[in-house]
């Protein structure tokens, strides 16, 4: 089972970091293929807690080669900060390789992210402010800076000049900000070149060779299906393809090499930032999920919006990504609820939708049609087999599995590395 894609099923923060960490000892490479330091993955190893943003979570497993592939946008300052922080805690980061084709996030991308959000006012997306959207916009506009440009000062200068030409007009005349100097950007980027040189390579070739040699490669998605720029709740999305297709374009590995697609799905739903969210709760149930699940952003610290499980979203995710297995996380958070509602379909102005409405306005108006399941009160954090779970928890899992379009192969029952019930081997 050499090439495995692992992605988020909802609006992010499903526990992808923990799931990656779980598979870590059995994989040789972990590849980040989309997004940048907008991601926030919390991994708990014993008493140690790690918060990763730009680096793939697999970096925590000794022996794994972490890859930042071409689909990622890299803030180099953040990269070195994270590497230094991990090294000082004894994590070996020497194997990291970065694609020569990955794009770079610069100061002007971060500035533009913040000023455009402010300009949008009530229509703002609620981005993480890390410069992600503007960096991808430059990539698509063909004025981006790539990692390889840092090794050719002439080319770098020309490209930064080209990128800043229009942006400085915008910053000065529209946004009332100071213009950004070409030299300050070029000097800043060049200051990292020597440290980057040994890490930057043709990662697509490296991954092909690894797969040919029979190594196991895990592609770790950032963000999630509903935040995908093509398939998510546009425009309230991130600017990359967070779905399994993104693993292909974002790494240079062909689709027919992918053997398995694992989607990580929470036993309820959360979202950070603006945009439609049919099962969102505004009452004490939402507070319960937020407090018990500790639903505060790993990247920005913002309280996450919380709601019940949405089965049409899980089915959508299963279709769009070709999901073979779900990892259901945070089942333990639901302990103590008398009944647990699950959204089985939507009502849009009196019409029933069993699947996600294609029209975004309909999705904004969608009210969930719920089916209620009995809750349980037993502590499940010590469960390690499906039979260890109380009957009501088993029934909840089986019910949502039947609605979600793929089997639930593992169930998270706590934040720790070992707090998991495995029903089917994820790599077999
Ligand atoms: P990611 O962005 O998908 O990697 O997820 P985050 O790390 O942002 O958010 C998931 C949070 O849930 C982290 O704090 C994890 O430690 C925690 N977590 C993961 N799985 C479980 C679980 O099964 N139960 C509980 N209680 N917490 C979990
Ligand atoms: P992980 O990998 C949750 C959200 C932001 C905002 C929108 C666009 O931890 O699951 P961006 O800065 O990407 O342009 O913001 O996407 N967002 C996330 N929400 N988890 C994430 O990553 C996210 N990355 C971006 O809140 O609504
Ligand atoms: Mg997260």
């Amino acid at each position: 089972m050499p090439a495995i894609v692992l992605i988020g099923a909802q609006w992010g923060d499903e526990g992808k970091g923990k799931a990656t960490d779980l598979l870590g000892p059995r994989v040789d490479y972990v590849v980040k293929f989309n997004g940048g330091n907008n991601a926030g993955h919390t991994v708990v190893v014993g008493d140690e807690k790690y918060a990763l943003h730009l680096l793939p979570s697999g970096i925590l497993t000794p022996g794994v080669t972490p890859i930042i592939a071409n689909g990622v946008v890299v803030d180099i300052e953040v990269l070195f900060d994270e590497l230094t922080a991990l090294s000082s805690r004894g994590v070996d980061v020497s194997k990291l390789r970065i694609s020569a084709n990955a794009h770079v996030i610069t100061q002007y991308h971060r500035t533009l992210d913040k000023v455009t959000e402010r300009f949008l006012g009530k229509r703002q997306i609620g981005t993480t402010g890390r410069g992600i959207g503007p960096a991808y916009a430059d990539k698509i506009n063909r004025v981006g800076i790539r990692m390889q440009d840092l090794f050719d000062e002439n080319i770098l200068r020309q490209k930064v000049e080209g990128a800043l030409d229009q942006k400085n007009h915008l910053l000065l005349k529209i946004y009332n900000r100071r213009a950004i100097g070409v030299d300050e950007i070029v000097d800043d980027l060049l200051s990292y070149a020597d440290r980057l040189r040994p890490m930057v390579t043709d990662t697509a070739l490296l991954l092909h060779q690894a797969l040919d040699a029979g190594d196991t490669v895990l592609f770790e998605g950032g963000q999630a299906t509903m935040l995908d720029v093509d398939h998510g709740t546009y425009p309230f999305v991130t600017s990359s393809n967070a779905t399994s297709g993104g693993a292909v374009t974002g790494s240079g590995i062909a689709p027919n090499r992918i053997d398995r697609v694992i989607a990580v799905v929470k036993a309820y739903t959360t979202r950070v930032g603006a945009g439609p969210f049919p099962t969102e709760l505004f009452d004490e149930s939402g507070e319960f999920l937020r407090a018990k699940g500790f639903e505060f952003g790993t990247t920005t610290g913002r309280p996450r919006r919380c709601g019940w499980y949405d089965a049409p979203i899980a089915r959508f995710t299963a279709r769009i990504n070709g999901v073979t297995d779900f990892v259901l996380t945070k089942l333990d958070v639901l302990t103590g609820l008398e009944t647990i509602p699950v959204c089985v379909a939507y009502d849009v102005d009196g019409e029933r939708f069993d699947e996600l409405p294609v029209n975004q306005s309909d999705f904004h108006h969608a009210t969930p049609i719920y089916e209620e399941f009995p809750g349980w009160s037993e502590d499940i954090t010590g469960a390690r087999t499906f039979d260890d779970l109380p009957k009501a928890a088993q029934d909840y899992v089986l019910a949502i599995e039947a609605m979600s379009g793929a089997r639930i192969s593992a169930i998270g029952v706590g934040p720790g590395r070992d707090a998991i019930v495995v029903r089917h081997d994820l790599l077999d």
Side-chain angles (χ1 to χ4, degrees):
M1 185 64 63
I4 303 120
V5 177
L6 184 144
I7 48 98
Q10 295 150 323
W11 278 287
D13 307 320
E14 295 91 351
K16 299 177 290 293
K18 177 184 156 172
T20 300
D21 182 59
L22 172 78
L23 298 173
R26 296 172 65 193
V27 307
D28 302 296
Y29 291 78
V30 173
V31 183
K32 176 166 169 121
F33 61 82
N34 76 304
N37 57 314
N38 49 347
H41 307 301
T42 304
V43 182
V44 182
V45 185
D47 295 336
E48 295 278 313
K49 192 166 161 179
Y50 297 88
L52 296 155
H53 299 286
L54 176 56
L55 294 166
S57 314
I59 201 164
L60 297 176
T61 310
V64 167
T65 300
I67 303 280
I68 291 181
N70 58 278
V72 176
V73 284
V74 182
D75 186 321
I76 303 172
E77 192 181 334
V78 172
L79 172 76
F80 284 116
D81 283 351
E82 274 191 26
L83 287 174
T84 308
L86 287 180
S87 297
S88 70
R89 295 174 72 177
V91 177
D92 175 19
V93 298
S94 63
K95 288 187 162 183
L96 176 70
R97 293 295 175 268
I98 304 172
S99 167
N101 291 345
H103 280 246
V104 174
I105 300 178
T106 69
Q107 185 210 322
Y108 50 81
H109 297 119
R110 289 189 295 265
T111 303
L112 281 168
D113 196 352
K114 288 179 187 131
V115 291
T116 43
E117 275 283 277
R118 212 167 300 145
F119 226 67
L120 281 171
K122 275 204 304 236
R123 289 173 295 130
Q124 70 177 25
I125 313 283
T127 72
T128 59
R130 302 297 192 261
I132 306 295
Y136 278 115
D138 275 5
K139 174 177 175 172
I140 302 300
N141 277 331
R142 294 160 295 190
V143 291
I145 311 291
R146 297 194 294 176
M147 293 305 286
Q148 56 183 284
D149 300 328
L150 270 59
F151 309 124
D152 186 332
E153 186 174 345
N154 259 336
I155 292 283
L156 179 65
R157 189 168 296 279
Q158 279 174 35
K159 291 195 172 177
V160 172
E161 271 168 10
L164 277 176
D165 212 19
Q166 231 187 11
K167 289 185 184 68
N168 273 336
H169 284 292
L170 263 178
L171 285 169
L172 271 172
K173 294 175 190 155
I174 311 278
Y175 296 125
N176 224 352
R177 304 282 291 226
R178 76 173 179 90
I180 294 174
V182 172
D183 283 343
E184 76 184 271
I185 300 295
V186 171
D187 291 349
D188 180 53
L189 293 177
L190 284 178
S191 72
Y192 297 111
D194 286 343
R195 284 169 80 192
L196 283 169
R197 206 181 300 269
M199 301 179 201
V200 175
T201 188
D202 182 348
T203 51
L205 179 63
L206 189 72
L207 291 170
H208 275 281
Q209 288 168 338
L211 287 171
D212 285 347
D215 285 340
T216 300
V217 179
L218 177 66
F219 296 88
E220 177 190 341
Q223 294 75 54
T225 303
M226 299 304 284
L227 288 172
D228 181 282
V229 67
D230 281 275
H231 303 290
T233 47
Y234 189 90
F236 302 101
V237 291
T238 192
S239 300
S240 68
N241 286 113
T243 43
S244 60
V248 171
T249 52
S251 75
I253 290 301
N256 57 355
R257 298 210 78 157
I258 293 182
D259 302 280
R260 186 161 279 201
V261 180
I262 300 168
V264 185
V265 68
K266 234 181 263 203
Y268 50 96
T269 312
T270 63
R271 167 160 214 176
V272 197
F277 178 0
T279 65
E280 182 169 15
L281 293 162
F282 301 95
D283 57 7
E284 63 279 8
S285 302
E287 274 307 323
F288 172 91
L289 294 174
R290 189 172 307 111
K292 190 135 183 255
F294 198 68
E295 297 296 353
F296 297 89
T298 314
T299 301
T300 57
R302 289 178 288 179
R304 295 174 181 151
R305 301 158 62 191
C306 296
W308 300 122
Y309 191 82
D310 187 321
I313 285 181
R315 282 199 294 278
F316 176 76
T317 281
R319 286 196 298 276
I320 290 285
N321 295 288
V323 173
T324 55
D325 302 78
F326 279 111
V327 173
L328 180 73
T329 58
K330 298 192 124 173
L331 186 65
D332 53 300
V333 174
L334 299 182
T335 301
L337 291 165
E338 215 151 285
T339 56
I340 308 170
V342 170
C343 169
V344 297
Y346 310 110
D347 179 293
V348 181
D349 303 326
E351 191 186 342
R352 182 184 167 110
F353 281 73
D354 288 305
E355 303 300 335
L356 295 199
V358 68
N359 190 324
Q360 182 80 11
S361 305
D362 287 343
F363 198 54
H364 278 264
H365 294 142
T367 50
I369 298 171
Y370 284 118
E371 207 173 299
E372 304 248 344
F373 294 88
W376 59 91
S377 55
E378 299 90 331
D379 179 6
I380 63 167
T381 54
R384 294 296 174 266
T385 68
F386 195 64
D387 288 340
D388 292 341
L389 294 172
K391 174 84 171 45
Q394 292 185 11
D395 288 346
Y396 177 77
V397 173
L398 294 175
I400 62 176
E401 179 177 56
M403 298 174 201
S404 299
R407 65 185 187 177
I408 293 174
S409 294
I411 303 160
V413 291
R417 226 178 208 181
D418 60 340
I420 193 118
V421 168
V422 178
R423 296 175 73 204
H424 307 285
D425 189 340
L426 287 165
L427 299 190
D428 193 19

